[in-house]
Amino acid sequence: MDSIKIATAQFENRSGDKEYNLSRMEFLAGRASREESDVIAFHECSVTGYTFARNLSKIQMLELAEPVPDGPCTQRLIKIAAANNIVVLAGLFEKDSFDNIYKTYVCVDKNGLVAKYHKLHPFVNEHITPGDEYCVFDLLGWKCGILICYDNNITENVRATRLLGADIIFMPHVTMCTPSPRPGAGFCDPELWKNRDSDPESLRKEFDGSKGREWLMKWLPSRAYDNAIYAIFSNPIGMDDDQLKNGCSMIIDPFGDIIAECRTLGDDFVTAEITPEKLTQAGGYRYLKARRPDLYRDIIGQPHKSEQKVAWLNRGEDKS
């Protein structure tokens, strides 16, 4: 495998304003391409916005959702990829011919759709159908996977995607800065965002504290470290409907080290060079080789009723 350059982006999306969101993605994709990135990844539901969907009916969700890949937004993403000679990954709501609604993440290049993934553990709206399969695909000589937001908190999903061959896992999110039973969690005050130019220090402290990045660091690097993968984390910044999100989109290498992170308080991206040698140098590579599935195959696979909650945000809770 040859080295590739991957960019992960953050931007403030507008609820339901697909044209505006696509225009910001086009701008960032163009900048990333000019800086010689091969790939750019955006956050969960980056095309449509996310949090506002908690208030939508089934009819409204069907109006918002589109077929993939034939819908106008996926086709627009393909045009953005072609115009900038860059691979684009982005999220939207999808509907099929039976009016099933999915929270979908697509990978496109100049030739069309490369991969499509349905979130396994969807939230926000009760009318979203959970996905039922993992996604591993070839991209520029690399094996890649996709897991959306809460999918990554279920450790078995990351391990399964790794065991299916993924060396890079794209992890689009809309997360942090929402209430939860965990200590220190809660909403961030939107006034901090309004005052970000005059008082960036207060906003950065809130974003990096227990409501935000501090929590993320408790678990995200371990997903990369334990599985010897590159984790491409993307998250919005600014207001998503009535909730303030903290960005900090980042790329973590197989050693669990952050090798690139967005630290600006606005629309931006960062790029990292993804190199193959770390995949086998990292401890997780040895851990995978040392597994004893004979010991725990029946334990992991025993009957289990999944607690699939679809409307946590309606109750003011996050997914942690």
Side-chain angles (χ1 to χ4, degrees), residues 303-316:
H304 167 68
K305 184 177 180 181
S306 177
E307 188 176 336
Q308 182 69 43
K309 296 181 180 178
V310 298
W312 288 53
L313 288 179
N314 285 337
R315 303 200 305 272

Side-chain angles (χ1 to χ4, degrees), residues 133-167:
E133 61 182 349
Y134 295 113
C135 173
V136 175
F137 57 99
D138 294 314
L139 183 66
L140 303 177
W142 289 72
K143 286 286 186 181
C144 297
I146 298 168
L147 291 169
I148 300 175
C149 203
Y150 193 67
D151 295 346
N152 293 281
N153 292 109
I154 313 305
T155 57
E156 289 87 349
N157 290 331
V158 183
R159 177 53 58 93
T161 303
R162 178 68 181 94
L163 291 175
L164 288 170
D167 296 316

Side-chain angles (χ1 to χ4, degrees), residues 21-226:
N21 296 333
L22 285 164
S23 72
R24 296 308 297 159
M25 296 161 76
E26 184 172 25
F27 171 74
L28 292 167
R31 277 186 52 203
S33 177
R34 289 190 293 275
E35 295 183 18
E36 300 185 337
S37 296
D38 301 298
V39 181
I40 187 166
F42 296 96
H43 60 267
E44 175 185 17
C45 294
S46 47
V47 172
T48 53
Y50 176 86
T51 302
F52 82 109
R54 73 192 190 277
N55 299 316
L56 300 185
S57 66
K58 177 71 176 289
I59 292 174
Q60 290 171 318
M61 287 295 293
L62 286 170
E63 291 173 348
L64 179 68
E66 298 182 4
V68 173
D70 296 328
C73 287
T74 305
Q75 291 300 307
R76 173 75 177 278
L77 290 169
I78 293 168
K79 291 178 180 177
I80 291 171
N84 295 284
N85 193 31
I86 192 171
V87 177
V88 177
L89 293 101
L92 70 163
F93 292 108
E94 177 189 0
K95 62 182 175 184
D96 65 15
S97 58
F98 301 100
D99 283 349
N100 293 310
I101 300 168
Y102 300 96
K103 194 175 291 181
T104 297
Y105 199 69
V106 297
C107 175
V108 302
D109 66 10
K110 60 186 178 182
N111 298 312
L113 183 70
V114 176
K116 178 179 78 170
Y117 172 78
H118 294 153
K119 189 176 184 181
L120 304 176
H121 302 271
F123 296 93
V124 169
N125 187 288
E126 63 184 351
H127 302 296
I128 299 172
T129 301
D132 59 5
E133 61 182 349
Y134 295 113
C135 173
V136 175
F137 57 99
D138 294 314
L139 183 66
L140 303 177
W142 289 72
K143 286 286 186 181
C144 297
I146 298 168
L147 291 169
I148 300 175
C149 203
Y150 193 67
D151 295 346
N152 293 281
N153 292 109
I154 313 305
T155 57
E156 289 87 349
N157 290 331
V158 183
R159 177 53 58 93
T161 303
R162 178 68 181 94
L163 291 175
L164 288 170
D167 296 316
I168 300 169
I169 301 182
F170 292 93
M171 299 179 175
H173 279 66
V174 177
T175 193
M176 297 182 280
C177 302
T178 46
S180 167
R182 62 181 170 85
F187 291 120
C188 290
D189 186 352
E191 288 299 315
L192 292 171
W193 182 247
K194 293 179 182 178
N195 298 329
R196 63 189 180 277
D197 292 330
S198 59
D199 186 13
E201 292 82 9
S202 295
L203 179 60
R204 176 53 64 196
K205 182 178 179 181
E206 188 84 335
F207 277 177
D208 286 352
S210 59
K211 295 178 181 179
R213 188 179 185 276
E214 185 178 297
W215 167 75
L216 189 70
M217 292 297 97
K218 293 180 182 295
W219 65 269
L220 184 62
S222 69
R223 299 295 183 270
Y225 181 86
D226 288 344

Side-chain angles (χ1 to χ4, degrees), residues 10-13 20 188-200 202-204 206-207 236-241 243-247 263-268:
Q10 62 181 32
F11 74 95
E12 185 177 24
N13 55 233
Y20 173 81
C188 290
D189 186 352
E191 288 299 315
L192 292 171
W193 182 247
K194 293 179 182 178
N195 298 329
R196 63 189 180 277
D197 292 330
S198 59
D199 186 13
S202 295
L203 179 60
R204 176 53 64 196
E206 188 84 335
F207 277 177
I237 193 166
M239 297 306 299
D240 181 47
D241 194 35
Q243 297 182 12
L244 178 56
K245 296 302 174 186
N246 66 326
R263 298 296 291 169
T264 55
L265 297 174
D267 297 3
D268 204 359

